[in-house]
Amino acid sequence: MISYKPLFRTMEERGITSYRLMKLGFPRSTYYAMKHGENISSHTVNQLCKILKCNVSDIMEYIEEEESTET
């Protein structure tokens, strides 16, 4: 599962609010999609890296999901 928690940490560390991100040209709908864990494109990741001047790992991380053992 992809988590966007690093994005929200990066924004907080840099003093960037969601409002500021949107003023810099990042779509509000995409921001809210990420808040709800929805999929985004590599273009979106690139856009965030450019705006925040950061690496991909500062935006998202992979978290392995536990497999359910149904019997």
Side-chain angles (χ1 to χ4, degrees):
M1 171 176 85
I2 298 296
S3 169
Y4 302 110
K5 285 183 182 179
L7 167 65
F8 306 115
R9 280 193 302 263
T10 300
M11 288 174 62
E12 185 176 336
E13 289 168 2
R14 295 176 184 207
I16 303 284
T17 64
S18 59
Y19 178 76
R20 178 74 179 136
L21 199 61
M22 290 166 213
K23 284 295 194 179
L24 292 170
F26 193 75
R28 179 186 313 244
S29 60
T30 305
Y31 177 80
Y32 287 114
M34 293 176 74
K35 285 285 272 189
H36 292 94
E38 296 177 17
N39 295 326
I40 59 170
S41 69
S42 58
H43 172 77
T44 298
V45 174
N46 186 66
Q47 187 180 21
L48 281 168
C49 287
K50 188 174 183 177
I51 290 171
L52 297 172
K53 296 178 178 55
C54 66
N55 294 313
V56 173
S57 61
D58 296 321
I59 293 173
M60 56 195 247
E61 65 184 344
Y62 173 74
I63 300 173
E64 192 166 340
E65 296 180 61
E66 293 182 26
E67 292 183 31
S68 63
T69 52
E70 295 181 30
T71 56

